[in-house]
Amino acid sequence: MSRAKLAFVLMLIVSVMLVACNNNQDASNANDDMESDNTKDGNTQEVAEVIELDMWIHQSGEDETNYNKQRIEDFNEAHEGEIQINVEVVMDDGGSSYNDSLNAALVAGNLPDVLALDGPFVASYADAEIIAPVTDYISDEDKEDFVDSIIEQGTYNGELYSLGAMESSVVLYYNKEIFEAEGIEAPTTIEDAWTWDEFMGVAKQLTTEDRFGLNLFMNYGVGEWYTYMGAPFVWSNGGALISEDGTTVDGYLNGPESVEALEYVKSLFEEGVVTLTPSETQFEEGKAAMALGGPWIAVSAESADLDYGMMPYPYSDVPKSPSGSMAYAISSQAEHPEAAYKVMQWMTNEESTIGLSEVTGMPPARKSAFESMESYNELPKKIMRDQVVNTAHARPTTPAYPVLTDAFAQAFHAVALGEDAQSTLDQQVQRVERELRRFNK
C-alpha cells in the first residue's frame, strides 16, 4: 500500500472513531437527560444483572437425578431475571470419581458455585477449602427445622458448611410370615428395641439349615456401608471412633467399648446367624428372616411382594442409629455466596425434602416434612422417623474421615472373617494416627 493510501485509511479510521465517540457522547447525554427526567418524575429504573451460577449434582438413580434437575428448573423460573443456575450432572461411581472431579476443579480454579457432596466428607472438603461456611446466612428458625443429625453432619470447627435434602437410617427389617410362624413379636418403639442379647437370641432361633437369621449385606463390599451400618454397634456401647476434639483415635477406635462391639459382631458370624456372602435378594426371597438395611430395602421388598415390618436398631447401653446422606454446600470460589446460598436453601427447603423423600424412599431432613408426610406417622415408617429424630448419630466430622472410615470398614470385615478385634483395631489405629498428624500441626 502507498503512503498516500495508508494516510487516507488512517484518516478514515480516525474519522469513524471520532464520529462513534460523538455519537456515544450524544447517546450518553441523551441517556443522562432521560435519567434526569425520570428522576424528576420519580421513575428511576435500574436494570439488575442476572447472576449466573454453576452447580454440580452427583449422578444417582434416574428418578432422583430427574427430580433434582426439575427442582433446579423450578428455581430458575421462580428467580427469573435474578439468578440463573447452570447445572451439570457429574459422574459418581460410589468410589472416588466425584471427589477427583472436585479436586481437579479446585486446582484449576473453576469450582462450581454450588455442589452436592456426601455428608460424612464435609470436614474433608472444609479443611481443603473446597467449601465455605454458611453460618451467617441461615436463620435460627430455619436451622431449628433440620433434624439434629443434619446440622451435626454439616458442622466443622463450629461453622455450618452443608445442609442435607434427605436423611437416612438403618432399621431392622423382618419377615412377618416367618415371625408369625415362630411366635416372635417385633418391637414397635425405640423404648422396646432389642438389646444385643435379645437380638442374638432371636437371630439364633430364626436360623435353620436353609435360612439365616440375619442379613448384614456384606455383599456390598468393604467400604462406607460397613461404617455406616456398623458404627452404631460402637456408639450404642458407649464408644467412639475418634476423640471429641478430633485429634486422636488411640483409645477410642481401639478402646474397650469399640473392641467389645466388634467382638459382638464377630460372634454373629461365629454363631452362623449371618453370612459373608449373601445373595443379592436373600431377604426378599425369605432366605434371611431379618435384615439390617437402609430405606432402599423397603423398596426392593415391596417389589418382591414381601410382607415385611421394621424394628429399631438393636443396642447395647443406649439406642443409636446410622445417619447421613448427600448434602449441598457453597464453593469457596463462589463470587456470589448469598445467591449461592439461596440455591442451597431452595434444594433443602420443606417442599424439596418432601418431594425427594417421595421419589427416593429416604427419610426427609426436616422436622416439618415429617409432620407433613402421613406415612412417617404410622408403622412401619414411623420406626425410621423416630430413629432419625431421636437416635441418629452422625459419622465423625474430621478431615481424616476418608482414612478413618476405611480403617473401621477393614476392621469390621476382619472380625467377620474371625480375626481378633483388639489386634485388628490396634493396627488400624496406627494408620489413622499417621493421617491425623497432617491436621494436628
Side-chain angles (χ1 to χ4, degrees), residues 137 140 168 172 268 303 305 370:
Y137 301 123
D140 292 340
S168 65
L172 188 58
L268 293 171
S303 297
D305 292 325
F370 275 122

Side-chain angles (χ1 to χ4, degrees), residues 116-425:
L117 71 160
D118 197 0
F121 293 87
V122 166
S124 298
Y125 285 62
D127 189 80
E129 298 183 349
I130 291 177
I131 56 178
V134 297
T135 309
D136 294 339
Y137 301 123
I138 189 169
S139 68
D140 292 340
E141 181 182 5
D142 200 28
K143 186 177 180 180
E144 179 63 27
D145 192 38
F146 285 94
V147 296
D148 292 344
S149 53
I150 287 291
I151 301 301
E152 184 182 355
Q153 168 186 271
T155 301
Y156 176 63
N157 281 348
E159 296 278 4
L160 181 66
Y161 282 87
S162 76
L163 292 171
M166 61 183 177
E167 246 299 359
S168 65
S169 196
V170 169
V171 298
L172 188 58
Y173 292 86
Y174 67 97
N175 185 310
K176 286 187 174 181
E177 183 179 345
I178 295 175
F179 266 49
E180 184 176 350
E182 293 288 338
I184 299 173
E185 186 175 348
T188 58
T189 66
I190 291 174
E191 291 74 21
D192 295 329
W194 284 336
T195 63
W196 283 359
D197 289 342
E198 290 171 323
F199 181 44
M200 175 66 83
V202 173
K204 290 168 71 173
Q205 178 183 340
L206 293 172
T207 300
T208 65
E209 289 186 1
D210 57 357
R211 183 184 70 211
F212 287 93
L214 175 67
N215 185 350
L216 291 180
F217 300 99
M218 300 297 286
N219 55 302
Y220 288 174
V222 184
E224 190 61 26
W225 168 249
Y226 286 2
T227 304
Y228 172 63
M229 173 272 296
F233 283 106
V234 173
W235 298 327
S236 81
N237 199 40
L241 305 189
I242 191 170
S243 63
E244 189 172 344
D245 63 5
T247 60
T248 183
V249 295
D250 194 13
Y252 297 89
L253 182 61
N254 61 343
E257 297 88 355
S258 300
V259 171
E260 185 178 21
L262 288 199
E263 285 292 345
Y264 176 78
V265 171
K266 178 181 177 180
S267 70
L268 293 171
F269 290 89
E270 289 178 335
E271 294 292 342
V273 302
V274 62
T275 176
L276 272 164
T277 57
S279 64
E280 288 289 332
T281 56
Q282 186 192 54
F283 176 67
E284 292 84 347
E285 293 175 350
K287 299 297 180 62
M290 298 184 292
L292 204 55
W296 51 90
I297 300 304
V299 178
S300 60
E302 288 169 7
S303 297
D305 292 325
L306 178 68
D307 190 11
Y308 72 93
M310 295 182 189
M311 296 181 283
Y313 199 108
Y315 73 98
S316 173
D317 294 330
V318 181
K320 296 290 182 182
S321 58
S323 73
S325 191
M326 295 301 294
Y328 291 100
I330 295 174
S331 162
S332 58
Q333 297 176 1
E335 294 184 8
H336 305 282
E338 290 189 42
Y341 179 73
K342 286 185 179 181
V343 180
M344 182 175 164
Q345 185 181 41
W346 175 277
M347 296 300 290
T348 59
N349 66 19
E350 184 180 348
E351 183 179 355
S352 292
T353 56
I354 290 174
L356 193 60
S357 179
E358 291 173 343
V359 167
T360 64
M362 302 289 277
R366 286 181 176 267
K367 300 169 187 175
S368 57
F370 275 122
E371 295 303 318
S372 300
M373 302 181 73
E374 288 297 325
S375 61
Y376 284 99
N377 294 315
E378 55 190 32
L379 294 174
K381 283 191 172 183
K382 185 177 182 298
I383 297 291
M384 199 176 296
R385 184 201 71 180
D386 289 348
Q387 287 197 160
V388 169
V389 174
N390 298 301
T391 67
H393 192 295
R395 281 160 279 180
T397 51
T398 169
Y401 184 78
V403 174
L404 174 58
T405 184
D406 183 67
F408 183 83
Q410 295 289 346
F412 192 93
H413 186 247
V415 298
L417 290 170
E419 298 294 326
D420 177 69
Q422 183 70 69
S423 59
T424 298
L425 288 170

